[in-house]
Amino acid sequence: MSKRNLSKVQKLAVESFGKPVLIFAGAGSGKTRVLTYKIAHLIKNNLVSAEHILAVTFTNKAAKEMKERVNKLVPEKESILNIGTFHSICARILRKEIHHLGYSSDFSIFDVQDQKSLVKVVIESMDIPKNYVTPQEVRHKISYFKNKLIHPDEAKKKAHLVVEKTYADIYEKYQKALVKNNAVDFDDLLILPLTIFENHPNILEKYREKWQYILVDEYQDTNKPQFMFVKYLAEGHHQICVVGDDDQSIYGWRGADIRNILDFEKNFGNCDVFKLEKNYRSSAHILEAASSVVKNNKNRAPKELIPHNGAGEKLGLIETNDEMEEADAVVNALEKEIKLQKRNFSDFAILYRTNAQSRSLEDAFRRSGIPYNIVGGFRFYERKEIKDLIGYLSLIVNPKDTISLRRVINFPPRGIGMKTVDKCVIQASMKKTEMVEVLSLPEEMGIRGKQAGSLMTFYNIIKKYNELLPKLNAGELVRALVEEAGIVRYYRESSAPEDQERLANVMEFLKSVDEFMARTPDGGLSQFLEEVSLLTDLDQWNDETNRVTLMTLHSAKGLEFPVIFITGLEDGLFPLYSALESVEKLEEERRLFYVGLTRAMEKVYLMYANHRRRIGSDELYGMVSRFVYEMPEDKLEKISFTSALTRKVVGGRPGQFTKTAVSRTVVVFDDFRVGDYVEHAIFGVGKVMALSGQGENQRVGIVFKDGLKKKLVVKFANLKKVESPED
DNA sequence: GGGGCGATTCTTTTT
DNA sequence: GAATCGCCCC
């Protein structure tokens, strides 16, 4: 392994051994490089053997990248390395050990939707006044308790107000219901291993033996359960290395505690501390702007980012009237970058604070024909049709999962409504059996006729596939199931237009099962379900394709792009109103802005709109974000944008408005032919009459519609191709 | 008892 | 703009 491409301090961090290691790694300072080289260093020098190393990340994407990069340094070791997210590693532990807690290893993993459904069922069983609390807020509370490691008993003790008591009561019942359903929620994935470690020291010992060196990425984002997990494992040998940047802590609302990194030495004892302060990613102007913003935070470890690259361009600041114009301005600036700097679509990321903001941007991109990719928002695996399918599969694997049962018992519609389901619930609790079991005896509940038949049919399907589980592989089973349950037929016969898309998604899902089977030939259905429930949109995101990326600032963490647009820089949106109430929240917003800025390698565009419509009602923002004023003025360059919308009206008769035909952006210079119709921002639509020169120097002779003749350099003219001038 | 359709109510960020 | 809720009709 060559360490030549490491800086001095990077090298020291890589080689430090025998003490806990804390690495403060500023944005773009080569954090992943240090981590991967460190793993390679441990292996190559026989300090720790590969199978005894555990590396933990927050996202699957980060884990995947780390695996690939370690693999390049020590090729043959990839398969025995333990690199994964907190959630996936904990899930793996639970599959092996959860029987100690009274669950079976076929447990379901409940996502946010499932949690809400379960909370709802629990509330309904509890004699709580209607609408006193919503499942939504209760779910939130429960998650809050869990992130702080507050057990139901403790929550009950601490509760003073009546509402708080109600929350705590529901929490307690919810947790019992999870056990009954043989299900865990996302938070449990992290918490239950701790419980096992606490109750079974021999198991903890086993894992300490197994993982003798622990590396944690993005340590500033760990919450209490994650911290405890790491602490339990590292205690004893203290062979631990954490990397993080307190300035990039943006998950406080999820329980992340910045003190975990600031108090590392206190928790793990005498350690080596390294500060990676040299930034290899961004140009100096961007870094200075970012630094002067984050310096306004009080709660941070003092540090600098030292630019390695040149000054670069100033940050562009663009004001627009509303969100639609903002989207046009983004497209406009992006097209200019493509033409002048010869950039690819994949060089750009458009960032925003809330997912809802993607809509207007998406519209603008679609109109201008620029290929784009949206990360986040509604996820594939959260779509109704996919959740339904997963519901069937979960129920087949884990027949105790009543949330899935409720979800699919009447899908496709077979005439089983709430009343019938209620009867089954009552019957099951009276007979003290599982809910699935009572379905086969409808007459005992006084259910006859159509309903009775439907229950039997449903029961037989679940039973049959449950028995087929060991005999069929996941792919075969799912295919047979969608046919037999009538899912495919239901969508195929539906006349609703959205159902055709749903059918396509179901097919897509089948493909993903096949892919899984190809990857893990001996993988079972429950392993597939686990993988699926821990996948996120970012993991699907493919940076190979040449598309512009649209995503939230949160999703952008850990990524880099040559050009970054940060949109919606208005007080109330970014920072959000709700963040203005406390210093901590405002500082987190500021860090989020810092994260956004430091994603950029070469150019940043900052956008704000004077008006912005919110859902339905016309709520308006108006003030420029305070963060804009926290940057030195001499790093900013105001770029004026006048809406092209009003000028896009071409052709037709005077006084009459007609639309331009669908236009497409010119990407390559030699993209024009004689006879093409083009659109110019000022001169309007014209016809190409002559061509001269090549590549960057290409010129076009154009006759515009009112007879105006112009010879233009393509590079500067900002021309758009138009299919044909419509009347 | 079930299904369909209009009214109402939310939206921060995610494993 | 979507997702849930509640009402009303079959």
Side-chain angles (χ1 to χ4, degrees), chain A residues 414-416 420 423 439 441-457:
Chain A
R414 39 172 89 85
I416 303 172
T420 311
K423 279 185 191 167
L439 300 181
L441 301 162
E443 57 292 341
E444 284 188 7
M445 299 177 273
I447 297 171
R448 278 176 300 274
K450 188 180 164 225
Q451 269 88 32
S454 296
L455 286 184
M456 285 303 292
T457 318

Side-chain angles (χ1 to χ4, degrees), chain A residues 440-710:
Chain A
S440 61
L441 301 162
E443 57 292 341
E444 284 188 7
M445 299 177 273
I447 297 171
R448 278 176 300 274
K450 188 180 164 225
Q451 269 88 32
S454 296
L455 286 184
M456 285 303 292
T457 318
F458 181 71
Y459 173 80
N460 287 331
I461 292 176
I462 301 304
K463 197 81 191 163
K464 174 177 165 189
Y465 285 92
N466 180 263
E467 279 160 10
L468 282 173
L469 218 40
K471 294 176 196 128
L472 296 182
N473 74 36
E476 298 163 333
L477 191 143
V478 178
R479 256 168 233 285
L481 175 77
V482 292
E483 287 301 331
E484 186 158 352
I487 295 170
V488 173
R489 184 162 20 100
Y490 172 76
Y491 284 130
R492 199 168 281 148
E493 287 170 4
S494 164
S495 56
E498 68 266 24
D499 280 344
Q500 294 321 303
E501 197 188 331
R502 292 200 162 134
L503 179 62
N505 287 331
V506 169
M507 295 304 165
E508 185 69 30
F509 182 82
L510 294 181
K511 259 193 356 209
S512 76
V513 183
D514 292 339
E515 279 165 26
F516 170 80
M517 290 311 300
R519 227 172 339 115
T520 36
D522 47 350
L525 195 52
S526 80
Q527 198 187 335
F528 172 72
L529 288 173
E530 175 185 313
E531 188 175 297
V532 156
S533 56
L534 298 179
L535 267 183
T536 69
D537 224 46
L538 191 60
D539 307 318
Q540 313 280 82
W541 175 68
N542 183 354
D543 45 359
E544 315 277 294
T545 56
N546 190 19
R547 288 163 179 271
V548 176
T549 301
L550 278 65
M551 61 185 156
T552 62
L553 286 133
H554 281 89
S555 302
K557 187 153 89 150
L559 306 176
E560 62 177 21
F561 295 86
V563 183
I564 288 283
F565 289 82
I566 301 179
T567 64
L569 275 166
E570 297 125 44
D571 248 40
L573 182 60
F574 192 20
L576 281 170
Y577 274 126
S578 55
L580 304 180
E581 61 194 38
S582 78
V583 180
E584 289 76 27
K585 283 185 176 172
L586 183 63
E587 293 203 345
E588 181 152 317
E589 295 283 305
R590 190 177 279 118
R591 290 193 291 270
L592 189 57
F593 184 53
Y594 174 80
V595 165
L597 288 174
T598 52
R599 297 311 92 199
M601 297 154 83
E602 293 163 24
K603 180 81 190 184
V604 170
Y605 286 95
L606 305 166
M607 329 278 302
Y608 64 91
N610 293 321
H611 305 274
R612 189 176 295 272
R613 255 178 297 281
R614 295 234 294 177
I615 17 115
S617 62
D618 273 14
E619 247 184 89
L620 301 175
Y621 299 106
M623 301 263 287
V624 181
S625 170
R626 62 194 65 198
F627 298 152
V628 170
Y629 298 109
E630 292 175 0
M631 292 177 283
E633 223 170 305
D634 65 323
K635 298 284 173 254
L636 300 179
E637 177 197 8
K638 282 194 180 155
I639 301 171
S640 63
F641 174 78
T642 31
S643 174
L645 276 183
T646 48
R647 260 191 266 114
K648 265 187 185 159
V649 179
V650 288
R653 288 152 289 282
Q656 225 180 0
F657 284 82
T658 47
K659 279 187 192 149
T660 346
V662 187
S663 58
R664 149 177 104 75
T665 321
V666 178
V667 197
V668 273
F669 293 111
D670 303 295
D671 198 26
F672 294 105
R673 282 159 198 227
V674 173
D676 279 350
Y677 286 94
V678 295
E679 186 188 343
H680 183 275
I682 295 164
F683 305 123
V685 166
K687 192 175 180 180
V688 176
M689 305 305 283
L691 289 166
S692 66
Q694 279 187 347
E696 232 183 333
N697 299 316
Q698 190 183 43
R699 289 157 191 271
V700 279
I702 301 173
V703 181
F704 289 97
K705 70 170 199 324
D706 46 8
L708 180 73
K709 284 184 194 173
K710 283 273 174 192

Side-chain angles (χ1 to χ4, degrees), chain A residues 90-339:
Chain A
C90 287
R92 235 188 293 156
I93 293 179
L94 289 181
R95 291 276 171 222
K96 284 215 185 77
E97 317 288 353
I98 203 167
H99 62 273
H100 294 291
L101 298 176
Y103 299 73
S104 86
S105 67
D106 291 326
F107 62 85
S108 304
I109 299 174
F110 279 2
D111 68 6
V112 175
Q113 274 179 52
D114 302 327
Q115 286 182 59
K116 264 195 260 177
S117 309
L118 185 60
V119 167
K120 209 172 143 199
V121 172
V122 170
I123 291 176
E124 279 162 6
S125 75
M126 274 178 68
D127 189 37
I128 289 169
K130 250 190 163 186
N131 298 331
Y132 182 61
V133 289
T134 65
Q136 170 112 336
E137 61 177 297
V138 175
R139 192 213 71 80
H140 190 84
K141 276 281 173 217
I142 291 176
S143 193
Y144 169 85
F145 286 137
K146 291 190 172 184
N147 282 327
K148 300 249 157 168
L149 285 180
I150 299 173
H151 292 273
D153 301 342
E154 204 184 335
K156 278 166 83 174
K157 257 182 243 153
K158 276 190 183 166
H160 298 300
L161 302 171
V162 186
V163 216
E164 289 172 345
K165 253 193 88 48
T166 310
Y167 288 141
D169 286 343
I170 301 172
Y171 176 27
E172 184 182 33
K173 293 225 161 59
Y174 166 86
Q175 202 55 34
K176 285 188 177 145
L178 277 177
V179 179
K180 258 193 165 163
N181 280 273
N182 193 30
V184 306
D185 61 23
F186 275 137
D187 303 316
D188 281 349
L189 282 175
L190 304 173
I191 293 171
L192 296 183
L194 302 177
T195 316
I196 294 173
F197 289 163
E198 281 155 17
N199 298 342
H200 304 270
N202 55 321
I203 297 176
L204 173 58
E205 206 45 52
K206 182 172 91 188
Y207 284 97
R208 278 185 185 160
E209 194 64 28
K210 184 172 166 153
W211 294 320
Q212 295 169 10
Y213 201 104
I214 296 164
L215 302 102
V216 187
D217 191 16
E218 306 275 16
Y219 189 70
Q220 77 283 353
D221 282 331
T222 49
N223 62 18
K224 197 160 180 192
Q226 287 160 333
F227 166 74
M228 292 300 292
F229 180 76
V230 172
K231 187 158 166 65
Y232 274 135
L233 288 174
E235 229 157 25
H237 55 60
H238 280 221
Q239 305 250 60
I240 178 169
C241 168
V242 304
V243 181
D245 178 5
D246 51 315
D247 286 336
Q248 291 187 68
S249 166
I250 55 175
Y251 284 107
W253 49 274
R254 197 166 79 185
D257 194 341
I258 205 167
R259 283 174 308 182
N260 286 345
I261 190 164
L262 298 178
D263 294 347
F264 180 79
E265 185 142 24
K266 217 192 276 170
N267 291 315
F268 290 92
N270 181 24
C271 64
D272 278 343
V273 182
F274 301 95
K275 283 190 182 182
L276 309 181
E277 295 184 302
K278 190 107 177 216
N279 176 296
Y280 299 93
R281 178 188 296 149
S282 311
S283 63
H285 279 329
I286 295 171
L287 284 185
E288 279 166 50
S291 298
S292 64
V293 169
V294 82
K295 272 187 188 139
N296 291 290
N297 279 358
K298 300 276 172 294
N299 188 21
R300 72 187 283 262
K303 66 190 93 61
E304 295 293 329
L305 270 187
I306 302 150
H308 177 260
N309 302 333
E313 286 181 53
K314 289 184 179 181
L315 292 76
L317 180 65
I318 303 178
E319 173 185 346
T320 55
N321 282 318
D322 59 26
E323 74 278 2
M324 271 128 62
E325 208 181 281
E326 177 185 75
D328 286 332
V330 168
V331 168
N332 188 276
L334 195 143
E335 287 176 339
K336 272 194 193 134
E337 287 280 340
I338 286 175
K339 261 167 249 164

